[in-house]
Amino acid sequence: MIICIWAQDFKNGIGINNSLPWNIKEEMEHFKNVTKKSIVIMGRKTFESIKKPLLNRLNIVISRQLDILDKELYKFDNSYSYISQKKPTMFFNSSSKIEKVIGEWEKEKYTFLLSSSFENIITFCKKNPKIDMFVIGGKEIYELFLPYSDGIILSKITKDYSCDTFMKPFDEEKYDIGFEKEYTDFKVIFYFVKTLNHEKFSQYESFLERIING
């Protein structure tokens, strides 16, 4: 199941100068709770703004320009569990290779992957719909994955943060709301597409139950 998760301010802003303009502890805790022990997918710019893999998650970074990557940034110390000591990053360009990697990640062997192919990730997701994968940014990556997503988890922040990057409004008529929760500075809405089949809807319900019950 593919779920896009992001926070946006009052004017649909999601970032400024390739970073988050807000520091809302509750929102960060919400993000951590939702995505922990799962797979997160992001673009190169988002990863380079984070500067390290997110802990307790399999981090997949998509870039079609692997030749411009900052080679030093993609080397991590031992605490981030290299693919192997000789090969700190792994590139995969087929949907079949990632299946082995995910099996090993679940044994806490892998934490980080690089891919030059968005299409092969989609192929993998279609073949493995029971695996939850969270798309975490940036804007171009959201726009690539939204047509294929099964749900959206949106944090609506009540203030304007003078962002320079904005999300386009999505067609809310295509979604039902599964859950809403109010926080001090923002509101979280869990959307799911109306066309989910029975199996995926049951999976989404189980996912919601896990999040709601902590």
Side-chain angles (χ1 to χ4, degrees):
M1 191 162 63
I2 301 173
I3 300 173
C4 293
I5 179 170
W6 74 85
Q8 64 185 40
D9 73 2
F10 184 71
K11 294 183 178 179
N12 297 344
I14 62 170
I16 185 169
N17 297 325
N18 198 35
S19 62
L20 288 177
W22 50 77
N23 183 17
I24 303 174
K25 184 177 180 181
E26 277 190 314
E27 208 287 317
M28 294 303 295
E29 286 295 321
H30 152 73
F31 173 85
K32 181 179 178 180
N33 181 49
V34 169
T35 61
K36 66 184 178 183
K37 297 182 181 179
S38 297
I39 300 168
V40 292
I41 301 170
M42 69 194 88
R44 173 184 60 83
K45 292 180 181 179
T46 295
F47 174 72
E48 292 180 356
S49 71
I50 299 171
K51 300 190 186 318
K52 60 183 180 181
L54 298 175
L55 294 176
N56 301 315
R57 281 152 282 196
L58 175 61
N59 296 250
I60 297 178
V61 177
I62 301 174
S63 176
R64 295 191 186 278
Q65 298 174 292
L66 299 177
D67 57 317
I68 69 168
L69 297 178
D70 181 340
K71 299 300 187 295
E72 292 303 313
L73 182 59
Y74 289 83
K75 296 178 182 178
F76 309 109
D77 61 37
N78 291 340
S79 66
Y80 293 112
S81 303
Y82 288 167
I83 296 295
S84 72
Q85 293 300 316
K86 295 181 180 179
K87 196 173 184 181
T89 58
M90 179 175 179
F91 296 84
F92 69 91
N93 292 301
S94 71
S95 59
S96 59
K97 287 183 180 179
I98 191 177
E99 295 189 37
K100 176 181 181 296
V101 173
I102 287 178
E104 295 297 326
W105 163 71
E106 290 172 346
K107 300 175 187 176
E108 300 184 353
K109 184 176 180 180
Y110 301 154
T111 61
F112 183 77
L113 295 174
L114 279 169
S115 174
S116 61
S117 174
F118 152 77
E119 293 83 2
N120 285 327
I121 294 177
I122 292 297
T123 299
F124 171 80
C125 292
K126 288 180 177 179
K127 290 180 178 178
N128 299 272
K130 292 185 178 181
I131 296 177
D132 292 333
M133 306 185 80
F134 294 92
V135 180
I136 66 170
K139 179 183 177 180
E140 292 180 2
I141 300 298
Y142 287 130
E143 291 176 348
L144 282 173
F145 277 92
L146 270 171
Y148 303 93
S149 69
D150 301 296
I152 294 171
I153 302 176
L154 176 60
S155 293
K156 291 188 173 182
I157 299 171
T158 55
K159 297 179 181 179
D160 174 16
Y161 281 83
S162 301
C163 294
D164 59 14
T165 305
F166 300 86
M167 286 295 291
K168 296 177 182 177
F170 59 91
D171 186 359
E172 295 190 25
E173 292 298 316
K174 294 181 179 180
Y175 297 85
D176 284 325
I177 294 176
F179 178 67
E180 297 180 68
K181 186 173 182 179
E182 294 274 1
Y183 292 84
T184 304
D185 298 308
F186 64 100
K187 176 182 181 179
V188 174
I189 305 175
F190 290 70
Y191 297 91
F192 62 91
V193 294
K194 293 180 177 180
T195 55
L196 284 185
N197 59 37
H198 177 74
E199 184 177 6
K200 277 197 172 183
F201 184 75
S202 297
Q203 182 182 352
Y204 190 82
E205 284 187 317
S206 297
F207 164 75
L208 278 182
E209 184 178 356
R210 174 176 68 82
I211 299 303
I212 293 169
N213 296 331

